[in-house]
Amino acid sequence: MALYSDKVMDHFLNPRNVGIIEDADGVGEVGNAKCGDIMKIYLKIEDDIVKDVKFETFGCGSAIASSSMATELIKGKPVSEAMTLTNKAVAEALDGLPAHKMHCSVLAEEAIQSALNDYYSKNPEKKLEGGN
Ligand code: FES
């Protein structure tokens, strides 16, 4: 069996939503100290919906595929749903990642969480509206 699924290869070779959002409502950057890879997520949020999302990833192929898939999974979705995206869901949407590459999908989950936390810290009233 091939190490990487067709979906991983597709999102690695043709990543969706690469780039930056200049006037982003939330920006999150995370890194993995072990491998040194870095992921940055930009969010544009309107009416509690993720209107746009872009990423920059300096990392391995699985990290790029994970960022690409993660952005696709939250684009157009309510913020509350984006908040609950797990690395497992990202890996499953990619038809799996090798065990030693699961941490790459964790980076995607953490980068999105970090961008959402940035958004909430700039818009604390939104968090109150959400009831938590
Ligand atoms: Fe570290 Fe993939 S090897 S994110």
Side-chain angles (χ1 to χ4, degrees):
M1 202 190 97
L3 189 55
Y4 295 109
S5 72
D6 289 346
K7 274 196 191 160
V8 172
M9 290 311 292
D10 177 34
H11 279 264
F12 167 52
L13 295 172
N14 308 293
R16 297 11 165 218
N17 309 310
V18 175
I20 64 171
I21 298 175
E22 293 288 354
D23 57 344
D25 297 306
V27 180
E29 184 175 325
V30 294
N32 181 300
K34 251 187 172 168
C35 63
D37 292 350
I38 296 170
M39 195 180 288
K40 200 165 178 179
I41 295 270
Y42 301 82
L43 296 173
K44 192 80 205 148
I45 293 170
E46 268 169 48
D47 300 328
D48 290 322
I49 300 283
V50 179
K51 282 282 174 203
D52 199 10
V53 48
K54 297 246 187 272
F55 79 89
E56 290 178 303
T57 292
F58 303 95
C60 73
S62 297
I64 291 168
S66 294
S67 340
S68 171
M69 181 55 89
T71 56
E72 286 286 275
L73 289 173
I74 64 165
K75 202 172 186 175
K77 297 278 165 59
V79 171
S80 56
E81 221 172 287
M83 205 71 194
T84 61
L85 181 75
T86 62
N87 81 294
K88 234 180 130 226
V90 174
E92 271 167 20
L94 287 168
D95 291 338
L97 282 169
H100 69 287
K101 286 287 176 181
M102 279 306 279
H103 80 270
C104 316
S105 63
V106 171
L107 221 48
E109 176 188 324
E110 289 178 351
I112 288 172
Q113 294 277 334
S114 162
L116 286 168
N117 285 335
D118 181 45
Y119 166 69
Y120 281 130
S121 71
K122 288 173 181 152
N123 303 276
E125 75 287 356
K126 294 288 180 194
K127 194 143 196 174
L128 290 177
E129 281 167 21
N132 45 27

